[in-house]
Amino acid sequence: LSGAMTSLTLRVGDLAGEWDRTGLIPPELLRDLGAEGRLCAEVPEQYGGWGLSSLRSGAYTAHAGGLCSSLRSVMTSQGMAAWTIQRLGTAEQSAGLLPRLTGGTLAAVGFSEPGAGSDLAAMTTTVRRDGDTVVVDGHKKWVTAAHYADLLVVVGRHEDGAVAVVVPTGTPGVRIERITDPLGCRAAGHADVHLDGVRLSADSVLGGHGLPTALLVTTALAYGRMSVAWGCVGILRACLAAATAHAAGREQFGRPLAEHQLVAGHIADLYTAEQVATRVCEYAGRCWDEGSPDQVVATVLAKHVSATQAARGAATAVQVLASAGSRDGHTVARAYRDAKLMEIIEGSNELCRLMLAQHALSAPG
Ligand code: FAD
């Protein structure tokens, strides 16, 4: 894995700031990374993936997150699409689709709608059966990586529950409308997706039948939550490295910043944030790898803790660097904007707290 991390570092080089400023990762680079299986590293080897455990995949995701949150976001979407296909699709669908996702085809996942953000039960996108085809109508919002995607995994309502349907972006009736001014993760290719009378073969519906909305959404989002959580660990590591280097190197009042105790306190807070986030993610990763019954709650906890620590830690890092970190494209400036969004996606802070409270209230004794 360390070789894969070094190679990713070399591919990203010092370009993350430039991608952030231009709002674009070169699509050919994403396609190359995808074709090397780097964007969905947990896909089993039989489908051309690396077959990484959750813990090892987490270490790789944190590394990517430390380099570039936009790239890590694309990775999260690709991994979530693959995970959803693997979990909900038939054996034939997995055999047909997963080798594409490890072979350079790029994918994104659409749940959110204008009237259905936190409340996904309010989704109105429909997947209507028509002979041996299905017709998809709806509007998905803020779909990460949709600008780059060849395939969309779209969640909608079917006659017998919620379904996930695989939609090639080139299908007539699909319109991708780029969000050009996101607060952060500016090169992650966020877009709104309009689906108007999109006709697909009936075998585009994963598993072929509906599921309760909550079950389907929880299954798909679980992967995304772990990936975002580890991405936040990466943000914290990048911020800690930038803040310690700056505090050790710059002098004010005749001494390095690090020797001023209030600045040292910031460094201690950042180190604590990075350690806390790492440990909760490691625990959740072990739950995944062991199939522990704690997996669901540990995943929500990891996402919530990591996102809140990253948002706070990135703000701290900007404070330590002050003017040196206050320009677009700088590691800590990007982190500050990127981390804030992590408190919103894949279950906002509030939704995570509600789920954690529900768990605590229902736990025996
Ligand atoms: P709302 O649901 O309107 O919530 C507004 C505020 O109210 C939030 O603080 C929320 O926590 C709070 N709130 C809502 N309900 C409750 C409640 N019951 N109790 C307490 N507080 C509550 N969607 C996708 O489908 N695919 C993607 O790839 C994707 N990527 C995204 C990337 C980014 C950068 C962003 C910003 C969004 C992305 N989204 C994506 C959409 C994201 O999932 C939603 O923004 C998120 O679910 C919140 O929905 P909302 O923005 O409509 O906020």
Side-chain angles (χ1 to χ4, degrees):
L1 198 59
S2 66
M5 290 183 188
T6 307
S7 153
L8 194 65
T9 306
L10 294 173
R11 305 287 274 281
V12 174
D14 59 359
L15 293 171
E18 172 74 7
W19 296 341
D20 185 66
R21 272 192 299 273
T22 58
L24 198 72
I25 303 172
E28 56 281 7
L29 173 64
L30 291 178
R31 232 165 261 290
D32 287 351
L33 294 174
E36 294 161 21
R38 288 173 193 271
L39 298 180
C40 48
E42 284 175 52
V43 170
E45 285 168 339
Q46 71 183 108
Y47 303 120
W50 292 0
L52 293 190
S53 67
S54 183
L55 259 181
R56 280 163 60 78
S57 169
Y60 184 66
T61 306
H63 184 72
L67 296 171
C68 173
S69 281
S70 290
L71 175 60
R72 195 277 310 148
S73 298
V74 171
M75 202 181 258
T76 298
S77 294
Q78 183 91 355
M80 193 161 46
W83 173 251
T84 306
I85 291 165
Q86 201 184 322
R87 289 307 300 261
L88 302 182
T90 61
E92 293 73 34
Q93 287 169 326
S94 286
L97 291 164
L98 293 177
R100 292 177 63 191
L101 296 195
T102 56
T105 295
L106 301 175
V109 184
F111 300 94
S112 310
E113 299 182 1
S118 302
D119 179 13
L120 288 175
M123 278 185 303
T124 58
T125 294
T126 54
V127 182
R128 180 172 50 82
R129 194 188 299 271
D130 185 14
D132 57 1
T133 66
V134 288
V135 181
V136 188
D137 282 286
H139 177 187
K140 295 295 176 185
K141 297 233 347 151
W142 274 97
V143 182
T144 300
H147 173 71
Y148 302 113
D150 308 292
L151 293 180
L152 302 168
V153 174
V154 171
V155 179
R157 301 193 163 287
H158 197 40
E159 58 202 24
D160 58 353
V163 288
V165 61
V166 178
V167 182
T169 49
T171 314
V174 178
R175 186 163 59 87
I176 312 265
E177 188 186 353
R178 181 87 198 258
I179 294 171
T180 52
D181 54 358
L183 170 67
C185 299
R186 289 181 172 164
H190 306 110
D192 287 358
V193 177
H194 302 268
L195 303 143
D196 295 311
V198 179
R199 190 173 292 276
L200 303 159
S201 67
D203 66 4
S204 307
V205 175
L206 294 176
H209 59 83
L211 291 171
T213 306
L215 178 62
L216 189 150
V217 164
T218 307
T219 302
L221 281 183
Y223 182 98
R225 288 183 178 143
M226 276 310 297
S227 184
V228 165
W230 279 112
C232 288
V233 169
I235 288 175
L236 283 162
R237 289 178 185 166
C239 285
L240 182 60
T244 50
H246 187 75
R250 176 168 168 81
E251 290 193 1
Q252 285 293 280
F253 301 97
R255 293 188 283 163
L257 291 173
E259 290 182 19
H260 298 290
Q261 288 186 341
L262 292 178
V263 178
H266 286 319
I267 301 292
D269 290 347
L270 252 173
Y271 175 71
T272 305
E274 184 273 329
Q275 285 291 303
V276 167
T278 299
R279 301 302 156 227
V280 285
C281 285
E282 284 174 349
Y283 175 66
R286 275 197 299 278
C287 285
W288 276 66
D289 290 336
E290 291 164 9
S292 157
D294 275 351
Q295 180 178 329
V296 172
V297 69
T299 301
V300 174
L301 187 67
K303 192 273 166 182
H304 182 48
V305 169
S306 299
T308 49
Q309 294 293 340
R312 200 181 308 153
T316 301
V318 174
Q319 195 67 23
V320 171
L321 274 87
S323 63
S326 295
R327 301 191 68 173
D328 254 1
H330 189 285
T331 299
V332 297
R334 276 191 289 120
Y336 182 68
R337 290 185 282 100
D338 298 342
K340 180 61 211 168
L341 295 179
M342 299 306 112
E343 295 194 301
I344 294 169
I345 63 167
E346 314 284 357
S348 63
N349 277 1
E350 290 76 10
L351 270 281
C352 286
R353 290 173 74 199
L354 288 175
M355 288 185 268
L356 293 170
Q358 202 174 30
H359 172 78
L361 290 165
S362 67

